[in-house]
DNA sequence: TTGAAAGCGCTAACAC
DNA sequence: GTGTTAGCGCTTTCAA
């Protein structure tokens, strides 16, 4: 049997198509009063026929798709998924669907995702950007598409955003390590063009030029966003004679790679090496040892992103929204007093 | 500036809207010949105006949305994302978008996802089902919606499907453990209503009733699909006097929880306890010890699901498709000869 | 309180 | 080779 259409329902209920529309969109409370009997007739016909309004037609006419685009850099970091979870929960609760895409760390793809994918099939976009260099281009595309966008992770480029307070988070991590007496700290950050490395650690390095820079012998290692590379690079780092007594990684996922590398080299954690990371993914509490990490409230970030985006949809003229979520240090087992 | 429409392009190029449509849909090679000059004029106008066809209107008219629905049970098991990755890669390559949804292990939600979400906004659905009991209901919904569906994981219910060869995979795991001399094997499976537990281990248990059942003292533990529960339940299991010498978990994600529990109890792996699991997620090679596991080729499964679904879209009358992907035992560090 | 009808932007059958 | 035109299924003014 063919799918029932609005016309079928109207005929079955003995009313006009407009009336069906009114009932289904609950217009009867406000401007458009509908008699209870009519309403019931329509509802019955809808149930009988198993009628489901066509989202495309509805969208074409109303201008709203009730769909949000979500783009994340890669599919392997669990932190991203926790964000996705927050986004989906909130979006579904509010009656929005999610058109999902991963940019796979290729800037070309990220571009395409934004452009090709969202030919008015979404009302707005939630973007977890991967490439810093992309930002100017991004801005341009966004204005061309005239689609509201909220980015996860804030930079001052006049776009709605939500993110953790990176400098605060970083300071928490550094301070914890310093309190434990660590002076030789290694840093595992993402590639030069990617966001999380720069955002998270750069403010800290900046501050160093003024004061404690001399105190800390920086050992910065850039890794691709895979656990394999985190493993390989930390293996190299830890094989050096002058290896750090503590490592800060830009995310928990990398920290798992470091854990593995340390284990290969018979380096005990935290006795011989402290590790601290960011995110506090679920897994962080189940590694051996459990990870000391700076919690970034992924789910809240995801939910907040939806809220911000919908605010924008409801009011194009809103001032730029910028929400910062506090980061909290979670001390577990991967950090300890430095050995003398 | 308003988004350009087909009419704008037609005017700018000095042709009719139909011609624009022909050019953009590349109809000029086949039935509908278009002169090169016209084609170029149109293409230029498209570029000048930054024209992007409206996916909704196109879909409404053509009946195709170029969008696939993807539903997975929960967002935390990395194996699921690897499947998602395969799905997205293949789908995007073929010009399809992904409408994404997680059923979060609530059967109610899974139902809604299928019904409400996909009111003709997708051409077909890829479903990684979570609840066995849902299958009959599922079948009914599918026929009501008249939407092609492919399930990941096969059961004989007359739906296109793709999955690993579960009995083969299970036999691989069991045989490996038996070869190492293990007789007391514990099983960590998912809740009674969920698919992976039953599919993966049930055929094996069935076979046992006929022969080696006596040899193996089964210790079956049911866990919820969270790493926390896997951890908690294996802690209980391992505290027993008569604890198993080997544990089979239904996925690598659970195995990480077992690793953690063993570590808490100072049980050495693999010396005191062997662990074998399923999936071979990326992480499985970076735990300590690295996991012996039965590789399930998640990415290939995801890609295959898309292929199967598109076959179905192209030919409604195709016989039921059923693709099985061989499972391969990957021996790493979490299994060893049983101690005497 | 309800109905008639226009039209969202596009594709495809048909006409020229 | 190219243009005309009829809808796809819905929402929403306007009229009754």
């Amino acid at each position: 049997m063919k799918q029932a259409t609005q016309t079928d329902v109207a005929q079955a209920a003995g009313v006009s198509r407009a009336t069906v529309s009114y009932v289904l969109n609950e217009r009867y409370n406000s401007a458009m009063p509908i008699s209870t009997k009519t309403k019931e007739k329509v509802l019955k016909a809808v149930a009988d026929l198993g009628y489901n309004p066509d989202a495309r037609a509805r969208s074409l006419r109303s201008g709203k798709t009730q769909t949000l685009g979500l783009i994340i850099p890669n599919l392997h970091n669990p932190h991203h998924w926790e964000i996705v979870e927050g986004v989906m929960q909130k979006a579904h609760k509010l009656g929005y669907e999610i058109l999902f895409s991963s940019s796979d760390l290729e800037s070309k793809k990220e571009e395409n995702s934004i452009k090709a994918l969202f030919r008015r099939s979404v009302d707005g976009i939630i973007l977890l950007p991967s490439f810093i260099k992309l930002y100017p281009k991004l801005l341009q595309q966004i204005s061309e598409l005239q689609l509201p966008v909220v980015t996860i992770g804030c930079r001052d480029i006049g776009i709605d955003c939500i993110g953790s307070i990176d400098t605060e988070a970083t300071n928490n991590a550094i301070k914890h390590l310093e309190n434990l007496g660590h002076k030789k700290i290694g840093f595992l950050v993402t590639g030069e063009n990617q966001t999380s490395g720069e955002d998270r650690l750069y403010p800290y390095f900046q501050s160093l030029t003024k004061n404690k820079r001399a105190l800390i012998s920086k050992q910065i290692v850039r890794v691709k966003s895979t656990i394999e590379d985190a493993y390989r690079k930390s293996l190299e780092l830890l094989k050096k004679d002058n290896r750090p007594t503590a490592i800060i990684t830009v995310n928990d996922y990398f920290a798992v790679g470091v854990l593995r590398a340390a284990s290969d080299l018979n380096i005990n954690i935290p006795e011989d090496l402290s590790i601290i990371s960011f995110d506090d993914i679920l897994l962080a509490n189940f590694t051996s040892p459990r990870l000391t990490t700076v919690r970034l409230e992924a789910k809240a970030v995801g939910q907040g992103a939806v809220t911000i985006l919908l605010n924008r949809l409801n009011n194009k003229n809103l001032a730029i929204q910028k929400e910062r979520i506090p980061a909290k240090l979670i001390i577990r087992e991967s950090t300890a007093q430095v050995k003398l």
Side-chain angles (χ1 to χ4, degrees), chain A:
Chain A
M1 200 192 69
K2 274 279 287 148
Q3 277 278 359
T5 152
Q6 200 188 46
T7 312
D8 300 333
V9 176
Q11 273 171 3
V15 298
S16 80
R17 287 171 49 222
T19 308
V20 176
S21 175
Y22 295 146
V23 172
L24 260 48
N25 292 296
E26 311 204 335
R27 299 300 244 44
Y28 44 79
N29 348 308
S30 53
M32 202 57 72
I34 299 263
S35 71
T36 317
K37 316 144 215 165
T38 317
K39 184 178 141 193
E40 276 166 4
K41 269 194 303 186
V42 171
L43 257 22
K44 182 171 183 312
V46 166
D48 287 351
L49 295 169
Y51 169 69
N52 247 331
D54 186 316
R56 302 163 302 176
R58 171 176 279 181
S59 149
L60 189 56
R61 188 64 243 252
S62 67
K64 316 248 150 262
T65 63
Q66 293 293 115
T67 304
L68 267 23
L70 175 60
I71 306 180
I72 69 174
N74 81 71
L75 251 22
H76 294 290
N77 186 340
H79 180 60
H80 297 331
W81 283 84
E82 297 184 2
I83 293 176
V84 170
E85 188 181 25
V87 169
M88 296 223 313
Q89 281 182 351
K90 190 79 174 189
H92 284 163
K93 191 180 295 176
L94 298 172
Y96 280 80
E97 294 309 315
I98 297 295
L99 206 52
F100 187 56
S101 197
S102 141
S103 53
D104 271 336
L105 292 175
E106 298 167 30
S107 72
K108 182 76 176 301
K109 229 172 152 184
E110 195 165 86
E111 235 179 277
N112 284 340
S113 295
I114 300 175
K115 187 168 181 174
L117 315 194
F118 303 120
R119 350 191 108 175
R120 259 130 315 139
S121 36
V122 297
D123 293 337
I125 298 175
I126 295 172
L127 176 70
L128 182 46
S130 49
F131 288 88
I132 288 185
K133 280 189 187 157
L134 211 65
Y135 268 98
K137 193 141 198 174
L138 206 58
L139 256 180
Q140 190 206 328
Q141 284 199 345
I142 289 167
S143 69
E144 274 175 15
L145 287 175
Q146 303 177 102
L147 268 184
V149 175
V150 43
T151 62
I152 291 177
C154 288
R155 325 200 100 225
D156 288 313
I157 50 173
I159 300 184
D160 291 334
C161 69
I162 183 170
S164 321
I165 305 178
D166 285 315
T167 51
E168 181 197 82
T170 308
N171 288 340
N172 283 346
I174 305 273
K175 208 179 298 167
H176 176 59
L177 250 26
E178 286 180 344
N179 288 344
L180 293 170
H182 290 279
K183 300 213 158 42
K184 279 174 25 187
I185 301 175
F187 295 90
L188 244 68
V189 304
T190 48
E192 250 176 285
N193 293 325
Q194 289 165 239
T195 44
S196 62
E198 312 285 333
D199 287 343
R200 208 150 287 168
L201 262 13
Y202 196 66
Y204 171 69
F205 293 145
Q206 288 295 70
S207 77
L208 281 188
T209 58
K210 310 255 167 189
N211 38 34
K212 324 186 202 161
R213 175 184 267 236
L215 263 175
I216 298 188
S217 80
K218 289 167 292 160
Q219 298 180 264
I220 302 180
V221 179
R222 296 206 172 269
V223 312
K224 290 183 209 124
S225 291
T226 65
I227 192 168
E228 289 94 336
D229 206 48
Y231 165 73
R232 218 174 303 125
K233 294 284 169 54
S234 46
L235 212 51
E236 284 173 23
L237 177 64
L238 292 175
K239 274 181 182 163
K240 287 183 185 167
D241 288 340
N242 183 32
R243 69 169 172 79
T245 63
I247 289 185
I248 298 184
T249 71
V250 99
N251 62 52
D252 294 337
Y253 193 54
F254 286 178
V256 174
V258 180
L259 244 34
R260 221 313 136 200
S263 181
D264 278 5
L265 299 171
N266 287 311
I267 296 173
N268 289 322
I269 296 172
E271 295 81 4
D272 301 329
L273 177 73
S274 284
I275 301 179
I276 189 167
S277 44
F278 294 87
D279 292 350
D280 193 25
I281 58 179
L282 269 171
L283 191 66
N285 199 22
F286 294 92
T287 53
S288 304
R290 291 170 241 258
L291 295 174
T292 295
T293 183
V294 183
R295 179 178 295 167
L296 256 34
E297 306 292 359
K299 212 154 150 184
V301 166
Q303 293 173 334
V306 173
T307 307
I308 288 177
L309 187 51
L310 295 193
N311 287 346
R312 172 67 54 202
L313 289 178
N314 291 331
N315 183 358
K316 297 265 177 197
N317 300 319
L318 223 57
I320 295 299
Q321 305 168 82
K322 194 168 178 174
E323 188 174 342
R324 315 301 319 239
I325 303 211
K328 186 180 168 196
L329 178 65
I330 310 291
I331 298 177
R332 288 199 271 250
E333 304 164 352
S334 64
T335 48
Q337 195 77 28
V338 70
K339 265 195 198 161
L340 298 180

